[in-house]
Amino acid sequence: MKTSLLLAAVLASVSVGCTSVSSPDDDTDGARPARSCAYVVEYGGRTYLGREETDVPVGKSLGAATRPACDDTPGDGDEGEGPDLMTAFAVRGVDPAVAVAVAEDPGRYRLVVADSVKELPPELRKVTEHS
């Protein structure tokens, strides 16, 4: 009996560790991606979550941004992804407190939206519809 209770406890903890981080409260309009090693960027004291859009109208350079280190499968023998330094750019027509773009490659900018944004504002929806 003790063995089966211990096995059930171990299986429950393993199953919880393998699930994605989402909840019924998660955004349904696509403003926020799943968090398992999601494309997260830190800039200006804020956390931004990456989106699929890579063709966004960028403005001036805002300064340094960082993608923090991520290891979504600890204990698998690799170190995961290390921190990545990049440059944040203004997205034309959008407040940088809402979203910025980060340079991934020369001429390619990924849209990242502040973690606090629950629903895309109209000016940002216009940008995402054209990407």
Side-chain angles (χ1 to χ4, degrees), residues 29 94 119-131:
D29 77 347
V94 179
E119 184 176 330
L120 296 179
E123 65 273 13
L124 192 52
R125 271 190 253 133
K126 288 179 188 175
V127 169
T128 61
E129 290 170 0
H130 296 295
S131 292

Side-chain angles (χ1 to χ4, degrees), residues 85-110:
L85 300 176
M86 50 187 46
T87 302
F89 291 85
V91 176
R92 282 184 263 172
V94 179
D95 182 346
V98 173
V100 297
V102 290
E104 291 192 310
D105 294 313
R108 183 176 167 181
Y109 305 92
R110 180 181 292 262

Side-chain angles (χ1 to χ4, degrees), residues 28-106:
T28 57
D29 77 347
R32 304 178 81 188
R35 286 220 182 232
S36 176
C37 262
Y39 196 96
V40 175
V41 173
E42 295 171 350
Y43 164 73
R46 291 185 182 89
T47 299
Y48 294 81
L49 303 175
R51 294 184 45 101
E52 296 297 316
E53 291 84 5
T54 57
D55 181 24
V56 294
V58 296
K60 69 178 183 172
S61 172
L62 299 173
T66 304
R67 272 195 77 198
C70 180
D71 186 4
D72 65 349
T73 52
D76 69 348
D78 76 13
E79 297 296 315
E81 300 172 17
D84 191 13
L85 300 176
M86 50 187 46
T87 302
F89 291 85
V91 176
R92 282 184 263 172
V94 179
D95 182 346
V98 173
V100 297
V102 290
E104 291 192 310
D105 294 313

